[in-house]
Amino acid sequence: MTAVPSNSPATRQVVLTCPLDCPDACRLKITLERGADGIEKAVKLTGDADHPITKGFACAKTVHYPARQNHPERPLSPMKRVDGELMRVSWEQALDEIADHLREVLARRGPDAVLRYHYAGTMGLMEGHHVHGFFRALGAPELDETICASAGTEAWRLGYGPRYGVLPEDVAHAQTIVLWGINSLSTNSHLTPFMTQARKNGARIIHIDPYLNKTGRYADTHLKLRPGTDTALALGVAREIIHQGWTDAAYLNEATQGFEEFKTEADAWTLERTAEVTGLGVAEITELARAIGQNGPTYIRVGYGMTRHQGGGTALRAVTLLPALTGDWRRRGGGCTLSTSGAFHLNRTRLGAAHLIRDGVKHVNMNELADALETSGGFEMAFIYNCNPAVVAPDSMRVRAGLQREDLKVIVLEQAMTETARLADYLLPATTFMEHPDIYTSYGHTWLAHNRAELDAPGETRPNSWVFQQLAKRLGLTEPSLFWTVDDLLQEVLDTNHPFLDGLTPEALKAAGTLSLNIPEGWLPYANGAPTPSGKVMFTPAPIYTPTKAELSAEYPLRLLTPPAHHFLNSTYGMLGNLTRAEGNEPHVLLHPDDAGHLVSGQLVRIVSETGRAVRRVRVTDETQPGVAVVEGSWWGLSAPDGESINAVTSQTLTDLGGGSTFHGTRVRVEQL
């Protein structure tokens, strides 16, 4: 590490974009302090007051990022497993041995024996996406990134094409706001000021979620529907809107296709049938339909939570078509948002060496990692980066067992001593977003960003891209894009004629740090149809409600939900004691009094599913509903009484669209210990 000159200021402030998997993509103001040894460290973090979305505050978790970055257990040197223990080795030794083993596996088995596994530990285009190019140059299997967004993405594509949405700046113009399947105060916190402004302007905020959380308490109305019944509720609301004459006939005629098919399906969903299936009252459903149909513009913010069931893709399709019924897409502040990522029309032709993907290449669904890691999966090497699958992947006990196979070489690139890192054969220490340059888009707004490397890499940490470039050299790979710098990548992705990127040059972006896309003033993305093959918003095929196949039973009477915790972002902050204390020191299972029986808060119970089991402490509360158990947050198993992730009980079952995860579809029972 290079020490800062002794005559430089003791502290300075820098502004960088947050790299984490969150729609807000905040612009962060970070205070760096030079120690007595001349080395700078991050000591404070807050939001950039000059950014129109961040508005001067950071979320309750990322404000503590400096503690994560400076954590005493952070890996700072390459390590190799020797006699069961991770021992420090040189980069030269680690890379040479990994390359030698990889060369031998490729010669003997071919690229199908090499697994890459990753997700959104960083959203950077270089360290999070372009690094996949190494594996594509080898011809290794493609990883289908399905653990979070794929069901929703496919559902949106069928109805609307690219993922455009209502810009957050326009939300203040809405008169009805429906937050459906999203705890936005915890997972999209920078939407809150815009909703609060809408409320001051007279808007009403409705939250639809199976349990009461921070967003439900913020809303004017909370509707506690049964898990997995979103399609039924959307169809029942649609029927009421249609029967009351609250549709926009001109919009339906000019901008949509398949309405009559949709109407036929919705006609079967009387208020009484909808109430019976969803658990809501007829009056609640009627009032929801009236608010959406009559008190517009209506803004619907949908979350990926509703897609975590077998019928989750269909559910999101049904809900997101409601603004097309009412014509809200033609009114400022009206419409629906899942993601704004479709607005970033970058040149992605060679991002991650996408041009090297072979026809017929093997695919691995990341939700099926437990199967892939079985001996029958055929993998002899696994490279894991930007992800903690020992905690976050379904059927986690089998995942951990697979990672410990003696005939599987596991290479983990990581910034923290996660449970996955502890299982590595080679642990390679990675840099954080303050220590390497990168490029960031957003899925909650339309600002593009470039980060400089503001801190020297501590110890022997290196960016993911450096590691894979070093391995590529050792293997004799010559594909030019593998060796691009961030400047090269920035030049490439901005090489586009799309009008949203007019004037956004590499030089301008690097100078400003962040720039807004050139979205036209008053942009209404689906006012006149959609960029689908037909040019229309697609009501066809009509969404059809299908109950979850794993029905509740006497043996498994509870539906388990595993939504995000307020102070965690997936498993990123699992090592910080102050944040685990803020969440109650350990993971709890929320049970309704009707289900708790003789159990009292604080007791330990065993949660049992058809997949596995985990021990948690009970919290009895009416925040949930009868028949529903809730465990908030992707806690590290190290924080749990039994050392197990809650994903020990979740399964690899996939959604109807997009091959997505079904974390909220698990049926369980609770046993007193």
Side-chain angles (χ1 to χ4, degrees), residues 242 247 252-253 256-267 325 539-540 542:
I242 294 166
T247 58
L252 290 171
N253 182 57
T256 75
Q257 183 173 307
F259 169 66
E260 288 302 322
E261 179 185 339
F262 177 87
K263 179 178 180 296
T264 298
E265 184 62 32
D267 275 343
L325 284 181
F539 279 102
T540 181

Side-chain angles (χ1 to χ4, degrees), residues 65-113:
Y65 197 97
R68 179 184 186 273
Q69 176 155 305
N70 301 323
H71 197 277
E73 293 186 0
R74 179 180 175 184
L76 295 176
S77 300
M79 304 184 83
K80 174 186 177 181
R81 188 167 301 281
V82 179
D83 296 329
E85 300 292 329
L86 286 172
M87 308 294 291
R88 181 175 177 177
V89 296
S90 68
W91 270 112
E92 200 74 14
Q93 178 183 344
L95 292 169
D96 284 348
E97 291 180 0
I98 292 168
D100 287 346
H101 190 73
L102 181 53
R103 193 179 294 110
E104 188 274 329
V105 169
L106 291 170
R108 180 169 45 81
R109 291 283 316 285
D112 279 359

Side-chain angles (χ1 to χ4, degrees), residues 340-362:
T340 61
S341 57
F344 291 88
H345 289 274
L346 302 173
N347 174 15
R348 300 173 185 265
T349 307
R350 293 190 289 175
L351 176 63
H355 62 294
L356 298 183
I357 299 175
R358 297 178 292 114
D359 290 341
V361 68
K362 179 179 177 180

Side-chain angles (χ1 to χ4, degrees), residues 300-320:
I300 302 176
R301 175 65 166 103
V302 291
Y304 291 104
M306 77 171 71
T307 71
R308 305 282 193 263
H309 305 270
Q310 285 176 284
T314 297
L316 192 130
R317 274 204 72 225
V319 174
T320 57

Side-chain angles (χ1 to χ4, degrees), residues 87-429:
M87 308 294 291
R88 181 175 177 177
V89 296
S90 68
W91 270 112
E92 200 74 14
Q93 178 183 344
L95 292 169
D96 284 348
E97 291 180 0
I98 292 168
D100 287 346
H101 190 73
L102 181 53
R103 193 179 294 110
E104 188 274 329
V105 169
L106 291 170
R108 180 169 45 81
R109 291 283 316 285
D112 279 359
V114 180
L115 172 68
R116 77 174 208 255
Y117 197 89
H118 50 81
Y119 198 59
T122 174
M123 301 294 285
L125 295 188
M126 174 60 87
E127 304 305 330
H129 296 272
H130 194 61
V131 289
H132 309 333
F134 171 73
F135 299 96
R136 288 168 176 160
L138 296 178
E142 285 293 300
L143 183 76
D144 295 336
E145 299 179 41
T146 53
I147 203 165
C148 179
S150 61
T153 299
E154 178 62 12
W156 191 276
R157 185 193 66 80
L158 289 172
Y160 291 101
R163 284 175 292 171
Y164 299 146
V166 180
L167 300 182
E169 300 93 324
D170 287 343
V171 170
H173 296 275
Q175 283 298 295
T176 295
I177 295 174
V178 181
L179 303 167
W180 199 319
I182 183 172
N183 182 6
S184 67
L185 266 70
S186 295
T187 63
N188 188 186
S189 59
H190 290 80
L191 180 63
T192 308
F194 298 102
M195 295 193 296
T196 299
Q197 184 58 54
R199 176 181 270 159
K200 290 178 180 177
N201 296 341
R204 177 185 174 195
I205 300 173
I206 301 167
H207 185 223
I208 302 173
D209 200 285
Y211 81 111
L212 182 66
N213 49 44
K214 287 183 180 294
T215 301
R217 287 187 283 272
Y218 167 81
D220 300 301
T221 301
H222 176 246
L223 300 178
K224 198 179 288 184
L225 89 167
R226 289 195 184 109
T229 64
D230 306 82
T231 301
L233 180 57
L235 290 171
V237 167
R239 181 185 186 277
E240 183 70 3
I241 289 171
I242 294 166
H243 279 233
Q244 294 295 338
W246 297 332
T247 58
D248 185 326
Y251 185 83
L252 290 171
N253 182 57
E254 297 164 6
T256 75
Q257 183 173 307
F259 169 66
E260 288 302 322
E261 179 185 339
F262 177 87
K263 179 178 180 296
T264 298
E265 184 62 32
D267 275 343
W269 286 91
T270 62
L271 291 170
E272 292 74 19
R273 182 188 179 196
T274 304
E276 181 181 358
V277 170
T278 64
L280 299 177
V282 167
E284 290 177 305
I285 300 165
T286 303
E287 180 52 33
L288 175 62
R290 181 180 294 111
I292 293 173
Q294 285 201 302
N295 191 31
T298 295
Y299 166 68
I300 302 176
R301 175 65 166 103
V302 291
Y304 291 104
M306 77 171 71
T307 71
R308 305 282 193 263
H309 305 270
Q310 285 176 284
T314 297
L316 192 130
R317 274 204 72 225
V319 174
T320 57
L321 288 171
L322 293 176
L325 284 181
T326 59
D328 270 305
W329 287 114
R330 287 182 168 173
R331 296 192 278 179
R332 189 175 185 186
C336 184
T337 298
L338 171 68
S339 167
T340 61
S341 57
F344 291 88
H345 289 274
L346 302 173
N347 174 15
R348 300 173 185 265
T349 307
R350 293 190 289 175
L351 176 63
H355 62 294
L356 298 183
I357 299 175
R358 297 178 292 114
D359 290 341
V361 68
K362 179 179 177 180
H363 282 250
V364 175
N365 185 312
M366 70 183 303
N367 294 310
E368 297 175 327
L369 178 61
D371 285 351
L373 291 176
E374 295 282 354
T375 304
S376 58
F379 291 108
E380 293 191 19
M381 295 190 78
F383 290 80
I384 300 171
Y385 51 100
N386 303 334
C387 193
N388 184 14
V391 170
V392 303
D395 202 351
S396 60
M397 292 182 73
R398 275 211 301 143
V399 168
R400 287 167 54 194
L403 291 173
Q404 295 176 81
R405 275 174 37 207
E406 290 187 5
D407 60 342
L408 178 72
K409 195 71 71 178
V410 177
I411 297 93
V412 177
L413 288 68
E414 188 49 273
Q415 305 163 347
M417 191 57 77
T418 65
E419 284 162 270
T420 303
R422 294 169 192 267
L423 298 176
D425 293 301
Y426 289 90
L427 174 57
L428 307 181

Side-chain angles (χ1 to χ4, degrees), residues 13-34:
Q13 288 189 327
V14 299
V15 181
L16 298 171
T17 290
C18 179
L20 300 180
D21 184 10
C22 169
D24 297 11
C26 288
R27 201 68 179 156
L28 303 173
K29 183 172 287 187
I30 305 165
T31 301
L32 307 180
E33 183 175 274
R34 176 167 49 85

